[in-house]
Amino acid sequence: MVAVFAKCKVVGGKEKIFVDLAHELAEKSRAESANVSYDILSEIDKDNGEFFFLEKWKDKAGLDEHMATDHFKNIIAEVQKIIEGELEIHVYEAI
């Protein structure tokens, strides 16, 4: 299994747009056959614009297929417009 942990900081005032995009991405990603789980997170009691993606995929090939989908590419392109800096992405392998 492969896990992805991604982090971004959303530009102030754009949080609602981000949440809508993230929920759309999560819904479409969960429908993919290789997806195990897909969650969008924010820290409890912190309103600092930081959001996190926590994803699990059956294998690296499934993750690669996900990242090649139109919905992933299109939504991430929109997310990139409303975040500060780059989307920080870490990919892990379950051991």
Side-chain angles (χ1 to χ4, degrees):
M1 183 166 45
V2 172
V4 176
F5 184 75
K7 173 184 173 183
C8 64
K9 178 147 176 89
V10 175
V11 172
K14 303 289 185 181
E15 294 88 356
K16 171 75 168 106
I17 295 168
F18 172 82
V19 168
D20 289 346
L21 288 167
H23 284 169
E24 180 182 356
L25 180 57
E27 181 181 326
K28 290 179 177 180
S29 299
R30 289 178 188 132
E32 295 177 47
S33 62
N35 183 259
V36 176
S37 65
Y38 200 108
D39 296 299
I40 311 300
L41 309 170
S42 64
E43 285 189 74
I44 294 175
D45 298 329
K46 286 194 177 180
D47 187 17
N48 59 5
E50 289 185 344
F51 293 90
F52 308 87
F53 295 81
L54 180 58
E55 313 165 29
K56 291 184 182 175
W57 298 89
K58 291 180 182 175
D59 52 29
K60 179 73 166 65
L63 173 60
D64 291 343
E65 288 175 18
H66 162 68
M67 294 176 70
T69 62
D70 286 340
H71 63 262
F72 174 82
K73 291 188 276 188
N74 294 337
I75 293 171
I76 291 301
E78 291 302 311
V79 165
Q80 295 281 6
K81 296 176 185 176
I82 59 171
I83 63 173
E84 297 177 12
E86 296 295 318
L87 186 61
E88 183 180 321
I89 302 172
H90 303 274
V91 180
Y92 304 92
E93 181 178 24
I95 55 171

Coordinates of all heavy atoms in Angstrom, one line a residue:
M1 N 0.8 -1.2 0.0 CA 0.0 0.0 0.0 C 0.9 1.2 0.0 O 2.0 1.2 0.6 CB -0.9 0.0 1.2 CG -1.9 1.2 1.2 SD -3.3 1.0 2.4 CE -2.5 0.5 3.8
V2 N 0.4 2.3 -0.6 CA 1.1 3.6 -0.7 C 0.2 4.6 0.0 O -1.0 4.7 -0.2 CB 1.3 3.9 -2.2 CG1 1.9 5.3 -2.3 CG2 2.2 2.9 -2.9
A3 N 0.8 5.5 0.7 CA 0.1 6.6 1.4 C 0.7 7.9 0.9 O 1.9 8.0 0.7 CB 0.3 6.5 2.9
V4 N -0.1 8.9 0.8 CA 0.3 10.2 0.4 C -0.2 11.2 1.5 O -1.3 11.1 2.0 CB -0.4 10.6 -1.0 CG1 -0.1 12.1 -1.3 CG2 0.0 9.7 -2.1
F5 N 0.8 12.1 1.8 CA 0.5 13.1 2.8 C 0.9 14.4 2.1 O 2.0 14.6 1.7 CB 1.2 13.0 4.1 CG 0.9 14.0 5.1 CD1 -0.3 13.9 5.8 CD2 1.7 15.0 5.4 CE1 -0.7 14.9 6.7 CE2 1.4 16.0 6.3 CZ 0.2 15.9 7.0
A6 N -0.1 15.3 1.8 CA 0.2 16.6 1.2 C -0.3 17.7 2.0 O -1.3 17.6 2.8 CB -0.5 16.6 -0.2
K7 N 0.4 18.8 1.9 CA 0.1 20.0 2.7 C 0.1 21.2 1.8 O 0.9 21.4 0.9 CB 1.1 20.1 3.8 CG 1.0 21.4 4.7 CD 2.1 21.5 5.7 CE 2.2 22.8 6.4 NZ 3.3 22.9 7.3
C8 N -0.8 22.2 2.1 CA -0.8 23.4 1.4 C -1.4 24.5 2.3 O -2.1 24.3 3.3 CB -1.6 23.4 0.1 SG -3.4 23.1 0.3
K9 N -1.0 25.7 2.0 CA -1.5 26.9 2.7 C -2.3 27.7 1.7 O -1.7 28.2 0.7 CB -0.3 27.7 3.3 CG -0.8 29.0 4.0 CD 0.0 29.3 5.2 CE -0.4 30.6 5.9 NZ -1.4 30.4 6.9
V10 N -3.5 27.9 2.0 CA -4.4 28.6 1.1 C -4.4 30.1 1.4 O -4.3 30.6 2.5 CB -5.9 28.1 1.3 CG1 -6.9 28.9 0.5 CG2 -5.9 26.6 1.0
V11 N -4.4 30.9 0.3 CA -4.4 32.3 0.4 C -5.6 32.8 1.2 O -6.7 32.2 1.0 CB -4.4 33.0 -1.0 CG1 -4.6 34.5 -1.0 CG2 -3.1 32.6 -1.8
G12 N -5.5 33.7 2.1 CA -6.6 34.2 2.9 C -7.8 34.6 2.0 O -7.6 35.3 1.0
G13 N -9.0 34.2 2.4 CA -10.2 34.5 1.7 C -10.5 33.5 0.7 O -11.6 33.6 0.1
K14 N -9.7 32.6 0.4 CA -9.9 31.6 -0.7 C -10.2 30.2 -0.1 O -10.3 29.2 -0.8 CB -8.7 31.5 -1.6 CG -8.3 32.8 -2.3 CD -9.3 33.2 -3.3 CE -8.8 34.4 -4.0 NZ -9.7 34.9 -5.0
E15 N -10.4 30.1 1.2 CA -10.6 28.8 1.9 C -11.8 28.1 1.4 O -11.8 26.9 1.1 CB -10.7 29.0 3.4 CG -9.4 29.5 4.0 CD -9.3 31.0 4.1 OE1 -10.1 31.7 3.5 OE2 -8.2 31.5 4.6
K16 N -12.9 28.8 1.2 CA -14.2 28.2 0.7 C -14.0 27.6 -0.7 O -14.4 26.4 -1.0 CB -15.3 29.2 0.7 CG -16.6 28.7 0.0 CD -17.4 27.7 0.9 CE -18.8 27.5 0.3 NZ -19.0 26.2 -0.3
I17 N -13.3 28.3 -1.6 CA -13.0 27.8 -2.9 C -12.2 26.5 -2.8 O -12.4 25.5 -3.5 CB -12.3 28.9 -3.8 CG1 -13.2 30.0 -4.0 CG2 -11.8 28.3 -5.1 CD1 -12.5 31.3 -4.6
F18 N -11.1 26.6 -1.9 CA -10.3 25.4 -1.8 C -11.1 24.2 -1.3 O -10.9 23.1 -1.8 CB -9.1 25.7 -0.8 CG -8.4 24.4 -0.5 CD1 -7.4 24.0 -1.3 CD2 -8.7 23.7 0.7 CE1 -6.7 22.8 -1.0 CE2 -8.0 22.5 1.0 CZ -7.0 22.1 0.1
V19 N -11.9 24.4 -0.3 CA -12.6 23.3 0.3 C -13.6 22.7 -0.7 O -13.7 21.4 -0.8 CB -13.4 23.7 1.6 CG1 -14.4 22.7 2.0 CG2 -12.4 24.1 2.7
D20 N -14.2 23.5 -1.5 CA -15.1 23.0 -2.6 C -14.3 22.1 -3.6 O -14.7 21.0 -4.0 CB -15.8 24.1 -3.3 CG -16.9 24.7 -2.4 OD1 -17.2 24.2 -1.4 OD2 -17.3 25.8 -2.8
L21 N -13.1 22.6 -4.0 CA -12.3 21.9 -5.0 C -11.8 20.6 -4.3 O -11.8 19.5 -5.0 CB -11.1 22.8 -5.4 CG -11.4 23.9 -6.3 CD1 -10.2 24.9 -6.4 CD2 -11.7 23.4 -7.7
A22 N -11.3 20.7 -3.1 CA -10.8 19.5 -2.4 C -11.8 18.4 -2.2 O -11.6 17.2 -2.4 CB -10.2 19.9 -1.0
H23 N -13.1 18.8 -1.9 CA -14.1 17.9 -1.7 C -14.5 17.2 -3.1 O -14.7 16.0 -3.1 CB -15.4 18.5 -1.1 CG -15.3 18.7 0.3 ND1 -16.2 19.5 1.0 CD2 -14.4 18.3 1.2 CE1 -15.8 19.5 2.3 NE2 -14.7 18.8 2.5
E24 N -14.4 18.0 -4.1 CA -14.7 17.4 -5.5 C -13.6 16.4 -5.8 O -13.9 15.3 -6.3 CB -14.7 18.5 -6.5 CG -15.0 18.0 -7.9 CD -15.0 19.0 -9.0 OE1 -14.9 20.3 -8.7 OE2 -15.0 18.7 -10.2
L25 N -12.3 16.7 -5.5 CA -11.2 15.8 -5.8 C -11.3 14.6 -5.0 O -11.1 13.5 -5.5 CB -9.9 16.5 -5.6 CG -8.6 15.7 -5.8 CD1 -8.6 15.2 -7.3 CD2 -7.4 16.5 -5.5
A26 N -11.7 14.7 -3.7 CA -11.8 13.6 -2.8 C -12.9 12.6 -3.3 O -12.7 11.4 -3.4 CB -12.1 14.0 -1.4
E27 N -14.0 13.2 -3.7 CA -15.2 12.4 -4.2 C -14.8 11.6 -5.4 O -15.0 10.4 -5.5 CB -16.4 13.3 -4.4 CG -17.6 12.5 -4.9 CD -18.8 13.5 -5.2 OE1 -18.9 14.5 -4.5 OE2 -19.5 13.2 -6.1
K28 N -14.2 12.2 -6.4 CA -13.8 11.6 -7.6 C -12.7 10.6 -7.4 O -12.6 9.5 -8.0 CB -13.4 12.6 -8.7 CG -14.6 13.4 -9.1 CD -14.3 14.4 -10.2 CE -15.6 15.1 -10.6 NZ -15.3 16.1 -11.6
S29 N -11.8 10.9 -6.5 CA -10.7 10.0 -6.2 C -11.1 8.7 -5.5 O -10.7 7.6 -5.8 CB -9.6 10.7 -5.3 OG -9.1 11.8 -6.0
R30 N -12.1 8.9 -4.6 CA -12.6 7.7 -3.9 C -13.3 6.7 -4.8 O -13.4 5.5 -4.5 CB -13.6 8.2 -2.8 CG -13.0 8.8 -1.6 CD -14.0 9.3 -0.6 NE -13.4 10.1 0.4 CZ -13.8 11.3 0.8 NH1 -14.9 11.8 0.3 NH2 -13.2 12.0 1.7
A31 N -13.8 7.2 -6.0 CA -14.4 6.3 -6.9 C -13.4 5.5 -7.8 O -13.8 4.6 -8.5 CB -15.3 7.2 -7.9
E32 N -12.1 5.9 -7.7 CA -11.1 5.1 -8.4 C -10.9 3.8 -7.8 O -10.9 3.6 -6.6 CB -9.8 5.9 -8.5 CG -10.0 7.2 -9.3 CD -8.7 8.0 -9.2 OE1 -7.6 7.5 -9.5 OE2 -8.8 9.3 -9.0
S33 N -10.7 2.7 -8.6 CA -10.6 1.4 -8.1 C -9.4 1.2 -7.2 O -9.4 0.3 -6.3 CB -10.5 0.4 -9.3 OG -9.4 0.6 -10.1
A34 N -8.3 1.9 -7.4 CA -7.1 1.7 -6.6 C -7.1 2.5 -5.3 O -6.2 2.3 -4.5 CB -5.8 2.1 -7.4
N35 N -8.1 3.3 -5.1 CA -8.2 4.1 -3.9 C -8.7 3.3 -2.7 O -9.6 2.6 -2.8 CB -9.1 5.3 -4.1 CG -9.1 6.2 -2.9 OD1 -10.0 6.2 -2.1 ND2 -8.0 7.0 -2.7
V36 N -7.9 3.5 -1.6 CA -8.3 2.8 -0.3 C -9.0 3.9 0.6 O -10.1 3.6 1.2 CB -7.1 2.3 0.4 CG1 -7.4 1.7 1.8 CG2 -6.4 1.2 -0.4
S37 N -8.5 5.1 0.6 CA -9.1 6.2 1.4 C -8.6 7.5 0.9 O -7.5 7.6 0.3 CB -8.9 6.0 2.9 OG -7.5 6.2 3.2
Y38 N -9.4 8.6 1.1 CA -9.0 9.9 0.7 C -9.6 10.9 1.6 O -10.9 11.0 1.6 CB -9.4 10.1 -0.8 CG -8.7 11.2 -1.5 CD1 -7.7 10.9 -2.5 CD2 -8.9 12.5 -1.2 CE1 -7.0 11.9 -3.2 CE2 -8.2 13.5 -1.9 CZ -7.3 13.2 -2.8 OH -6.6 14.2 -3.5
D39 N -8.9 11.6 2.4 CA -9.4 12.6 3.3 C -8.8 13.9 3.2 O -7.6 14.0 2.9 CB -9.2 12.1 4.7 CG -10.0 10.8 5.0 OD1 -11.2 10.8 4.9 OD2 -9.4 9.8 5.3
I40 N -9.5 15.0 3.4 CA -9.0 16.3 3.5 C -9.1 16.7 4.9 O -10.2 16.6 5.6 CB -9.9 17.3 2.6 CG1 -10.1 16.7 1.2 CG2 -9.3 18.7 2.6 CD1 -8.9 16.5 0.4
L41 N -8.0 17.3 5.5 CA -8.0 17.6 6.9 C -7.6 19.0 7.2 O -6.9 19.7 6.3 CB -6.9 16.7 7.6 CG -7.0 15.2 7.3 CD1 -5.8 14.5 7.8 CD2 -8.3 14.6 7.9
S42 N -8.0 19.5 8.3 CA -7.5 20.8 8.8 C -7.3 20.6 10.3 O -8.0 19.7 10.9 CB -8.4 22.0 8.5 OG -9.6 21.8 9.2
E43 N -6.4 21.3 10.9 CA -6.2 21.2 12.4 C -7.3 21.7 13.2 O -7.8 22.8 12.9 CB -4.9 21.9 12.8 CG -3.6 21.2 12.3 CD -2.4 21.8 12.9 OE1 -2.1 21.5 14.2 OE2 -1.7 22.4 12.2
I44 N -7.7 21.0 14.2 CA -8.7 21.4 15.1 C -8.2 22.7 15.8 O -7.1 22.8 16.2 CB -9.0 20.3 16.2 CG1 -9.7 19.1 15.4 CG2 -10.0 20.9 17.2 CD1 -9.9 17.9 16.3
D45 N -9.1 23.7 16.0 CA -8.9 24.9 16.7 C -7.8 25.8 16.0 O -7.2 26.7 16.7 CB -8.5 24.7 18.1 CG -9.6 24.0 18.9 OD1 -10.8 24.2 18.6 OD2 -9.3 23.2 19.8
K46 N -7.5 25.6 14.8 CA -6.5 26.4 14.0 C -7.2 26.9 12.8 O -7.7 26.1 12.0 CB -5.2 25.7 13.7 CG -4.4 25.5 14.9 CD -3.0 25.1 14.5 CE -2.1 25.0 15.8 NZ -0.7 24.7 15.4
D47 N -7.2 28.2 12.6 CA -7.8 28.8 11.4 C -6.7 29.5 10.6 O -6.7 30.7 10.5 CB -8.9 29.7 11.7 CG -9.7 30.2 10.5 OD1 -9.5 29.6 9.5 OD2 -10.4 31.2 10.7
N48 N -5.6 28.8 10.2 CA -4.4 29.4 9.6 C -4.3 29.2 8.1 O -3.3 29.4 7.5 CB -3.2 28.9 10.4 CG -3.0 27.4 10.3 OD1 -3.8 26.7 9.6 ND2 -2.1 26.9 11.0
G49 N -5.4 28.6 7.5 CA -5.3 28.4 6.1 C -4.6 27.1 5.7 O -4.4 26.9 4.5
E50 N -4.1 26.3 6.6 CA -3.4 25.1 6.2 C -4.3 23.9 6.1 O -5.2 23.8 7.0 CB -2.3 24.8 7.3 CG -1.1 25.7 7.2 CD 0.0 25.3 8.2 OE1 -0.2 24.5 9.1 OE2 1.1 25.9 8.0
F51 N -4.2 23.2 5.0 CA -5.0 22.0 4.8 C -4.1 20.9 4.4 O -3.0 21.1 3.9 CB -6.0 22.3 3.7 CG -7.0 23.3 4.0 CD1 -6.8 24.7 3.8 CD2 -8.2 22.9 4.6 CE1 -7.8 25.6 4.2 CE2 -9.2 23.9 5.0 CZ -9.0 25.2 4.7
F52 N -4.6 19.7 4.6 CA -3.8 18.5 4.4 C -4.6 17.4 3.6 O -5.8 17.3 3.9 CB -3.4 17.8 5.7 CG -2.7 18.8 6.6 CD1 -3.4 19.6 7.5 CD2 -1.3 19.0 6.6 CE1 -2.8 20.6 8.3 CE2 -0.7 19.9 7.4 CZ -1.4 20.7 8.3
F53 N -4.0 16.7 2.8 CA -4.6 15.6 2.1 C -3.9 14.3 2.6 O -2.7 14.2 2.7 CB -4.2 15.6 0.6 CG -4.8 16.8 -0.2 CD1 -4.2 18.0 -0.2 CD2 -6.0 16.6 -1.0 CE1 -4.7 19.1 -0.9 CE2 -6.5 17.7 -1.7 CZ -5.9 18.9 -1.7
L54 N -4.7 13.4 3.0 CA -4.3 12.1 3.5 C -4.9 11.0 2.6 O -6.1 10.8 2.7 CB -4.6 11.9 5.0 CG -4.1 10.6 5.6 CD1 -2.6 10.4 5.5 CD2 -4.6 10.5 7.1
E55 N -4.1 10.3 1.8 CA -4.6 9.4 0.9 C -3.9 8.0 1.0 O -2.8 8.0 1.3 CB -4.3 9.8 -0.6 CG -4.6 11.3 -0.8 CD -4.0 11.8 -2.1 OE1 -3.8 11.0 -3.1 OE2 -3.7 13.0 -2.2
K56 N -4.7 7.0 0.7 CA -4.1 5.6 0.7 C -4.5 5.0 -0.6 O -5.7 5.1 -1.0 CB -4.5 4.8 1.9 CG -4.0 5.2 3.2 CD -4.3 4.3 4.3 CE -3.8 4.9 5.6 NZ -4.2 4.1 6.7
W57 N -3.5 4.4 -1.3 CA -3.7 3.7 -2.6 C -3.3 2.3 -2.5 O -2.3 2.0 -1.8 CB -3.0 4.5 -3.7 CG -3.5 5.9 -3.8 CD1 -3.1 7.0 -3.1 CD2 -4.6 6.3 -4.6 NE1 -3.8 8.1 -3.4 CE2 -4.8 7.7 -4.4 CE3 -5.5 5.7 -5.5 CZ2 -5.8 8.4 -5.0 CZ3 -6.4 6.4 -6.1 CH2 -6.6 7.8 -5.8
K58 N -3.9 1.4 -3.3 CA -3.5 0.0 -3.2 C -2.0 -0.2 -3.6 O -1.4 -1.1 -3.0 CB -4.4 -0.8 -4.2 CG -5.8 -0.9 -3.7 CD -6.6 -1.8 -4.7 CE -8.1 -1.8 -4.2 NZ -8.9 -2.5 -5.2
D59 N -1.5 0.6 -4.5 CA -0.1 0.4 -5.0 C 0.3 1.7 -5.7 O -0.5 2.6 -6.0 CB 0.1 -0.8 -5.8 CG -0.9 -0.9 -7.0 OD1 -1.4 0.2 -7.5 OD2 -1.2 -2.0 -7.4
K60 N 1.6 1.8 -6.0 CA 2.1 2.9 -6.7 C 1.5 3.1 -8.1 O 1.3 4.2 -8.5 CB 3.7 2.8 -6.8 CG 4.4 3.9 -7.5 CD 4.4 5.2 -6.7 CE 5.4 6.3 -7.2 NZ 5.1 6.8 -8.5
A61 N 1.3 2.0 -8.8 CA 0.6 2.1 -10.1 C -0.7 2.7 -10.0 O -1.1 3.6 -10.9 CB 0.5 0.7 -10.7
G62 N -1.5 2.4 -9.0 CA -2.8 3.1 -8.8 C -2.7 4.6 -8.5 O -3.5 5.3 -9.0
L63 N -1.7 4.9 -7.7 CA -1.4 6.4 -7.5 C -1.0 7.1 -8.8 O -1.5 8.1 -9.1 CB -0.3 6.5 -6.4 CG 0.1 8.0 -6.2 CD1 -1.0 8.9 -5.8 CD2 1.3 8.0 -5.2
D64 N -0.2 6.4 -9.6 CA 0.2 7.0 -10.8 C -0.9 7.2 -11.8 O -1.1 8.2 -12.4 CB 1.3 6.1 -11.5 CG 2.6 6.1 -10.8 OD1 2.9 7.1 -10.0 OD2 3.4 5.2 -11.0
E65 N -1.8 6.2 -11.8 CA -3.0 6.3 -12.6 C -3.9 7.5 -12.2 O -4.4 8.2 -13.0 CB -3.8 5.0 -12.6 CG -3.2 3.9 -13.4 CD -4.0 2.6 -13.2 OE1 -5.2 2.6 -12.8 OE2 -3.4 1.5 -13.5
H66 N -4.0 7.6 -10.9 CA -4.8 8.7 -10.3 C -4.2 10.1 -10.7 O -5.0 11.0 -11.1 CB -4.8 8.6 -8.7 CG -5.1 9.9 -8.0 ND1 -6.4 10.4 -8.1 CD2 -4.4 10.7 -7.3 CE1 -6.4 11.5 -7.3 NE2 -5.2 11.7 -6.8
M67 N -2.9 10.2 -10.6 CA -2.3 11.5 -11.0 C -2.3 11.8 -12.5 O -2.1 12.9 -12.9 CB -0.8 11.5 -10.5 CG -0.8 11.5 -8.9 SD 0.9 11.4 -8.2 CE 1.5 13.0 -8.6
A68 N -2.7 10.8 -13.3 CA -2.8 11.0 -14.7 C -4.3 11.3 -15.1 O -4.5 11.7 -16.3 CB -2.3 9.8 -15.5
T69 N -5.2 11.3 -14.2 CA -6.6 11.5 -14.5 C -6.9 13.0 -14.8 O -6.2 13.9 -14.3 CB -7.6 11.1 -13.4 OG1 -7.3 11.8 -12.2 CG2 -7.5 9.6 -13.1
D70 N -7.9 13.2 -15.6 CA -8.2 14.6 -15.9 C -8.7 15.4 -14.7 O -8.4 16.5 -14.5 CB -9.3 14.7 -17.0 CG -8.8 14.4 -18.4 OD1 -7.5 14.5 -18.6 OD2 -9.6 14.0 -19.3
H71 N -9.5 14.7 -13.8 CA -10.0 15.4 -12.6 C -8.9 15.8 -11.7 O -8.9 16.9 -11.2 CB -11.1 14.6 -11.9 CG -10.7 13.3 -11.4 ND1 -10.9 12.1 -12.0 CD2 -10.0 12.9 -10.2 CE1 -10.5 11.1 -11.3 NE2 -9.9 11.6 -10.2
F72 N -7.9 14.9 -11.5 CA -6.7 15.3 -10.7 C -6.0 16.5 -11.3 O -5.7 17.5 -10.6 CB -5.8 14.1 -10.5 CG -4.5 14.5 -9.8 CD1 -4.5 14.5 -8.4 CD2 -3.3 14.8 -10.5 CE1 -3.3 14.9 -7.7 CE2 -2.2 15.2 -9.8 CZ -2.2 15.2 -8.4
K73 N -5.6 16.4 -12.6 CA -4.8 17.5 -13.2 C -5.6 18.8 -13.2 O -5.0 19.8 -12.9 CB -4.4 17.1 -14.6 CG -3.4 15.9 -14.6 CD -2.9 15.7 -16.0 CE -3.8 14.8 -16.8 NZ -3.2 14.3 -18.1
N74 N -6.9 18.8 -13.5 CA -7.7 20.0 -13.6 C -7.9 20.6 -12.2 O -7.7 21.8 -12.1 CB -9.0 19.7 -14.2 CG -8.9 19.3 -15.7 OD1 -7.9 19.7 -16.4 ND2 -9.9 18.6 -16.2
I75 N -8.2 19.8 -11.2 CA -8.5 20.4 -9.9 C -7.2 20.9 -9.3 O -7.2 22.0 -8.7 CB -9.2 19.3 -9.0 CG1 -10.6 19.1 -9.6 CG2 -9.3 19.8 -7.6 CD1 -11.4 18.0 -8.9
I76 N -6.1 20.1 -9.4 CA -4.8 20.6 -8.8 C -4.4 21.9 -9.5 O -3.8 22.8 -8.8 CB -3.8 19.5 -8.9 CG1 -4.1 18.3 -7.9 CG2 -2.4 20.0 -8.6 CD1 -4.2 18.7 -6.5
A77 N -4.6 22.0 -10.8 CA -4.3 23.3 -11.5 C -5.0 24.4 -10.8 O -4.5 25.5 -10.7 CB -4.6 23.2 -12.9
E78 N -6.3 24.2 -10.5 CA -7.1 25.3 -9.9 C -6.6 25.6 -8.4 O -6.5 26.7 -8.0 CB -8.6 24.9 -9.9 CG -9.2 24.9 -11.2 CD -9.1 26.3 -11.9 OE1 -9.4 27.3 -11.3 OE2 -8.6 26.3 -13.1
V79 N -6.3 24.5 -7.7 CA -5.8 24.6 -6.3 C -4.5 25.4 -6.4 O -4.2 26.3 -5.5 CB -5.5 23.3 -5.7 CG1 -4.7 23.4 -4.4 CG2 -6.9 22.6 -5.4
Q80 N -3.6 25.2 -7.3 CA -2.3 25.9 -7.4 C -2.5 27.4 -7.5 O -1.6 28.2 -7.0 CB -1.5 25.4 -8.6 CG -1.1 24.0 -8.6 CD 0.1 23.7 -7.7 OE1 0.7 24.6 -7.0 NE2 0.6 22.5 -7.7
K81 N -3.6 27.8 -8.0 CA -3.9 29.3 -8.2 C -4.2 30.0 -6.9 O -4.2 31.2 -6.8 CB -5.0 29.5 -9.2 CG -4.7 29.0 -10.6 CD -5.9 29.2 -11.5 CE -5.7 28.6 -12.9 NZ -6.9 28.7 -13.7
I82 N -4.6 29.2 -5.8 CA -5.1 29.8 -4.6 C -4.3 29.4 -3.4 O -4.8 29.6 -2.3 CB -6.6 29.5 -4.4 CG1 -6.9 28.0 -4.3 CG2 -7.4 30.2 -5.5 CD1 -8.3 27.7 -3.9
I83 N -3.1 28.8 -3.6 CA -2.3 28.5 -2.4 C -1.0 29.3 -2.5 O -0.6 29.8 -3.5 CB -1.9 27.0 -2.4 CG1 -1.1 26.5 -3.6 CG2 -3.2 26.2 -2.2 CD1 -0.6 25.1 -3.5
E84 N -0.4 29.5 -1.3 CA 0.9 30.1 -1.2 C 2.0 29.1 -1.4 O 2.0 28.1 -0.8 CB 1.0 30.7 0.2 CG 0.0 31.8 0.5 CD 0.1 32.3 2.0 OE1 1.1 32.1 2.7 OE2 -0.9 33.0 2.4
G85 N 2.9 29.4 -2.3 CA 4.0 28.5 -2.5 C 3.5 27.3 -3.3 O 2.5 27.3 -4.0
E86 N 4.2 26.2 -3.0 CA 3.9 24.9 -3.7 C 3.1 23.9 -2.8 O 3.2 24.0 -1.6 CB 5.2 24.2 -4.2 CG 6.0 25.0 -5.2 CD 5.3 25.2 -6.5 OE1 4.7 24.2 -7.0 OE2 5.3 26.3 -7.1
L87 N 2.4 23.1 -3.5 CA 1.8 22.0 -2.7 C 2.9 21.0 -2.3 O 3.7 20.6 -3.1 CB 0.8 21.2 -3.7 CG -0.1 20.1 -3.1 CD1 -1.0 20.7 -2.1 CD2 -0.9 19.5 -4.3
E88 N 3.0 20.8 -1.0 CA 4.0 19.9 -0.5 C 3.5 18.5 -0.4 O 2.5 18.2 0.3 CB 4.4 20.4 1.0 CG 5.5 19.6 1.6 CD 5.7 20.2 3.0 OE1 5.7 21.4 3.2 OE2 6.0 19.3 3.9
I89 N 4.1 17.6 -1.2 CA 3.6 16.2 -1.3 C 4.7 15.2 -0.9 O 5.8 15.3 -1.3 CB 3.2 15.9 -2.8 CG1 2.2 16.9 -3.3 CG2 2.7 14.5 -2.9 CD1 1.9 16.8 -4.7
H90 N 4.3 14.3 0.0 CA 5.1 13.2 0.4 C 4.4 11.9 0.2 O 3.3 11.7 0.5 CB 5.4 13.3 1.9 CG 6.0 14.6 2.3 ND1 7.4 14.8 2.2 CD2 5.5 15.8 2.7 CE1 7.7 16.1 2.6 NE2 6.5 16.7 2.9
V91 N 5.2 10.9 -0.4 CA 4.6 9.6 -0.8 C 5.4 8.6 0.1 O 6.6 8.6 0.1 CB 4.7 9.3 -2.3 CG1 4.2 7.9 -2.6 CG2 4.0 10.4 -3.1
Y92 N 4.6 7.7 0.7 CA 5.2 6.7 1.6 C 4.7 5.3 1.2 O 3.6 5.1 0.7 CB 4.7 6.9 3.1 CG 5.1 8.3 3.6 CD1 4.2 9.4 3.4 CD2 6.3 8.6 4.2 CE1 4.5 10.6 3.9 CE2 6.6 9.8 4.6 CZ 5.7 10.8 4.5 OH 6.0 12.1 4.9
E93 N 5.5 4.3 1.5 CA 5.2 2.9 1.3 C 5.0 2.2 2.6 O 5.8 2.4 3.5 CB 6.3 2.2 0.5 CG 6.1 0.8 0.2 CD 7.2 0.2 -0.6 OE1 8.3 0.6 -0.5 OE2 6.9 -0.8 -1.3
A94 N 3.9 1.5 2.7 CA 3.6 0.8 4.0 C 4.6 -0.4 4.1 O 4.9 -1.0 3.1 CB 2.2 0.2 4.0
I95 N 5.2 -0.5 5.2 CA 6.2 -1.6 5.4 C 5.8 -2.5 6.5 O 4.9 -2.3 7.3 CB 7.6 -1.0 5.8 CG1 7.5 0.0 7.0 CG2 8.1 -0.2 4.6 CD1 8.9 0.4 7.5

